[in-house]
Amino acid sequence: MGRPIDARGWHFEVEDITTPATPVWHRIGNVNSWSYSPSENEETADTTTNDSEGAYEQDVMQRGATLEVTGLWAQTGTVRDPGQEYIDDVWAWRLGSESRNRVRYRHKSQTKWTVWEATVTPGEQGGEHNAKVGWGATFTRCGLPTTTDVVTEPEA
């Protein structure tokens, strides 16, 4: 039997495709809460017939999922967190087929990233006078997820 893992051990990254020849993955900083919904956008077809003898039956016709991350607006001096900035200033403004981008996530103990092609919905931002500014985004998966190995960068 395994041990529970910490929710704070998860890493979330967004792919910056502004230079397609050399895509870069940006970590999304200052996340303090996240939620994965593996049944979001699921669609079913009722397959109940007289042969079902009064018991409901269905087939799943579509699978979907969302991933919501929330946290605090991250900025050092005039430099925004690169992941948050890419989501807010680049990805969130795209429409149509251009609205898709890749996002990936994993727990620090895992050796593979889960990768989604997704759309993004920016979250609310704001706060009260004695609070830090909140930030968030919701990713809606398009298609099936894939995985890729975690590559560690060589030390300089």
Side-chain angles (χ1 to χ4, degrees):
M1 177 146 58
R3 297 275 306 142
I5 59 175
D6 295 336
R8 72 173 53 130
W10 287 84
H11 300 283
F12 305 92
E13 294 185 351
V14 60
E15 184 181 26
D16 182 338
I17 59 171
T18 56
T19 54
T22 55
V24 173
W25 288 93
H26 297 301
R27 182 176 178 271
I28 302 170
N30 280 15
V31 172
N32 61 18
S33 178
W34 62 274
S35 175
Y36 167 61
S37 178
S39 61
E40 191 71 27
N41 298 316
E42 182 178 275
E43 295 289 338
T44 61
D46 184 341
T47 59
T48 308
T49 67
N50 290 347
D51 296 332
S52 302
E53 299 180 2
Y56 177 77
E57 295 183 30
Q58 73 175 19
D59 288 341
V60 175
M61 302 303 291
Q62 171 180 297
R63 298 278 187 198
T66 59
L67 176 65
E68 180 180 8
V69 295
T70 58
L72 301 174
W73 176 287
Q75 182 169 323
T76 303
T78 59
V79 178
R80 282 280 316 272
D81 173 83
Q84 289 183 8
E85 181 178 42
Y86 182 80
I87 291 165
D88 289 346
D89 296 346
V90 178
W91 188 0
W93 293 99
R94 293 197 219 133
L95 302 172
S97 62
E98 299 297 316
S99 67
R100 293 186 181 195
N101 206 97
R102 292 195 310 166
V103 63
R104 67 184 183 183
Y105 62 93
R106 71 177 179 93
H107 189 266
K108 65 183 180 183
S109 65
Q110 296 174 330
T111 60
K112 290 196 177 287
W113 290 99
T114 297
V115 182
W116 289 6
E117 181 177 22
T119 59
V120 68
T121 303
E124 292 183 15
Q125 300 172 3
E128 296 179 10
H129 67 279
N130 285 330
K132 299 293 185 179
V133 175
W135 180 90
T138 300
F139 306 98
T140 301
R141 191 181 73 212
C142 300
L144 296 173
T146 60
T147 60
T148 188
D149 291 333
V150 172
V151 178
T152 54
E153 299 296 322
E155 292 188 29

